[in-house]
Amino acid sequence: MNSNNSLTDYFEFTVFSDYGSLKYVFFSLCLLIYMTIISANVVIILTVCLDKSLHQPMYIFICCLCLNSLYGSAGFFPRFLMDILSDTHFISRPFCFTQMYVIYTYKTHELTLLTVMAYDRFVAICQPLHYHSKMTFRKVLYLLVFIVLYPACMLGHLFYEFSHLPLCGYKVHRIFCTSWSIIQLSCVETAVLNVTGQFFGATLIFIPLFFVLYTYLRILLVCRKSSSKFRGKALQTCLPHMVTFVNFCISVFCEVSLSLYKVDEVNTFVIVVVSLEFLLIPPINNPLVYGLNLPQIRGVIISGFLRLQKWFRQD
């Protein structure tokens, strides 16, 4: 392993320990969680794609939310499962930056997508007569392109700068590569890069946060003046989004808070739990919240399982 200036071709994750035969238990548990994430999100994706009654903006965005969960999970779990079983925990520099890019774009895609979903609910509830003229297929397509390209381009430039940093070390005290852990290994002054990263981070987090708060304030004002039936219907469509958004913000806040501390001084168990939270909870939470709470999706899923069960009985 070469740790000379700028010649660090590999990084080593230092939080993994040798648990002996227990590592097979941890591996099985994490594999089960990963399979659950894949299965739950694929069910929602197939439900929305195959049922024409769900080809509406709200359900298309939910489908994209589940696709993003699969994307983020694929950037983390395969490598994490390998590390659980492995005796060495080295990761190549290109793969480290690739993993970092996938995980960070997953986070920003999720936040941007939840922001667009808040706009969709705002138009549907506050401007119902203009909903179909404002949320056309073309506009939904433009919004999806924006959701993908906006974070990808901003983070792409930032990670290009990270990738050219000369590094004087290779030990990363995390379970996956993070920008802050790599910056701490830099041999050169990174003040400008830190400010740039904080600016991008604030832009990607606080603008969506304030926009979502604004839309829900407007929705609450409209619901306050409406009938109880209207309020119930609005709550039914908004509650899953609110639960998902708050859950994701808490997860990201915990992850960002961890970056503010010197990781060498933080308990390893805390590092693992906080790091896993936003990669485990949202991908499991999203399909459960939308699949169980929205009667349109729940009805299609139940009828699909009943037809499948009937088909198996006939065979």
Side-chain angles (χ1 to χ4, degrees):
M1 175 61 60
N2 194 341
S3 61
N4 293 331
N5 183 12
S6 78
L7 295 177
T8 303
D9 296 323
Y10 291 86
F11 298 101
E12 181 184 10
F13 298 127
T14 61
V15 297
F16 291 95
S17 302
D18 184 11
Y19 292 104
S21 58
L22 274 177
K23 66 183 179 181
Y24 298 106
V25 176
F26 296 147
F27 174 84
S28 301
L29 178 61
C30 291
L31 181 61
L32 177 62
I33 292 172
Y34 186 36
M35 291 298 103
T36 302
I37 289 173
I38 292 175
S39 303
N41 284 280
V42 166
V43 166
I44 300 296
I45 292 168
L46 291 177
T47 300
V48 174
C49 290
L50 297 178
D51 194 282
K52 291 184 179 180
S53 67
L54 299 178
H55 292 180
Q56 302 174 36
M58 182 175 72
Y59 303 114
I60 292 172
F61 293 139
I62 292 172
C63 180
C64 292
L65 202 64
C66 293
L67 280 170
N68 189 52
S69 294
L70 294 179
Y71 167 71
S73 300
F76 168 72
F77 272 99
R79 171 71 206 193
F80 180 62
L81 291 170
M82 287 172 55
D83 280 322
I84 292 176
L85 292 180
S86 178
D87 294 325
T88 58
H89 308 99
F90 294 108
I91 183 172
S92 67
R93 182 171 179 142
F95 195 88
C96 177
F97 281 96
T98 301
Q99 182 191 56
M100 192 160 44
Y101 181 76
V102 170
I103 291 175
Y104 277 69
T105 49
Y106 152 72
K107 286 198 293 187
T108 48
H109 284 154
E110 187 99 352
L111 198 54
T112 312
L113 186 53
L114 289 170
T115 305
V116 170
M117 292 173 72
Y119 171 74
D120 174 69
R121 291 300 84 206
F122 164 73
V123 176
I125 294 171
C126 299
Q127 304 170 2
L129 298 178
H130 302 284
Y131 181 76
H132 292 292
S133 61
K134 287 192 172 184
M135 296 303 294
T136 61
F137 175 78
R138 176 174 290 186
K139 188 166 187 177
V140 170
L141 185 61
Y142 286 158
L143 287 172
L144 292 177
V145 171
F146 169 76
I147 288 167
V148 174
L149 294 184
Y150 171 62
C153 292
M154 290 191 71
L155 289 172
H157 171 74
L158 192 61
F159 280 97
Y160 176 79
E161 298 294 332
F162 285 157
S163 66
H164 288 78
L165 278 177
L167 304 176
C168 290
Y170 63 89
K171 291 184 179 294
V172 176
H173 199 57
R174 298 296 290 270
I175 59 173
F176 59 85
C177 292
T178 66
S179 59
W180 187 246
S181 62
I182 301 301
I183 287 176
Q184 288 180 317
L185 299 175
S186 175
C187 302
V188 297
E189 179 59 43
T190 59
V192 175
L193 199 57
N194 283 337
V195 171
T196 305
Q198 289 170 3
F199 173 76
F200 281 160
T203 302
L204 291 168
I205 293 173
F206 288 106
I207 291 178
L209 178 62
F210 286 128
F211 181 80
V212 171
L213 292 175
Y214 168 76
T215 56
Y216 273 101
L217 179 61
R218 292 285 302 273
I219 289 172
L220 285 174
L221 291 175
V222 170
C223 290
R224 186 181 177 185
K225 301 175 183 178
S226 304
S227 64
S228 58
K229 183 179 179 181
F230 181 88
R231 287 197 297 269
K233 188 175 180 181
L235 182 64
Q236 187 182 66
T237 60
C238 290
L239 185 60
H241 180 269
M242 286 189 287
V243 170
T244 304
F245 185 78
V246 170
N247 170 67
F248 189 74
C249 285
I250 292 173
S251 300
V252 172
F253 176 77
C254 292
E255 169 65 17
V256 172
S257 299
L258 182 62
S259 301
L260 299 178
Y261 293 91
K262 292 182 179 180
V263 290
D264 294 336
E265 300 174 2
V266 181
N267 185 279
T268 300
F269 178 76
V270 174
I271 292 175
V272 173
V273 170
V274 173
S275 299
L276 283 175
E277 186 184 7
F278 80 96
L279 290 163
L280 287 182
I281 307 301
I284 293 177
N285 175 75
N286 293 346
L288 291 179
V289 166
Y290 287 108
L292 295 177
N293 282 280
L294 292 179
Q296 295 87 345
I297 293 180
R298 186 174 65 244
V300 174
I301 292 175
I302 291 174
S303 63
F305 275 116
L306 290 175
R307 286 197 299 267
L308 191 64
Q309 187 180 35
K310 184 178 179 181
W311 182 77
F312 276 118
R313 285 178 177 176
Q314 288 177 348
D315 288 352

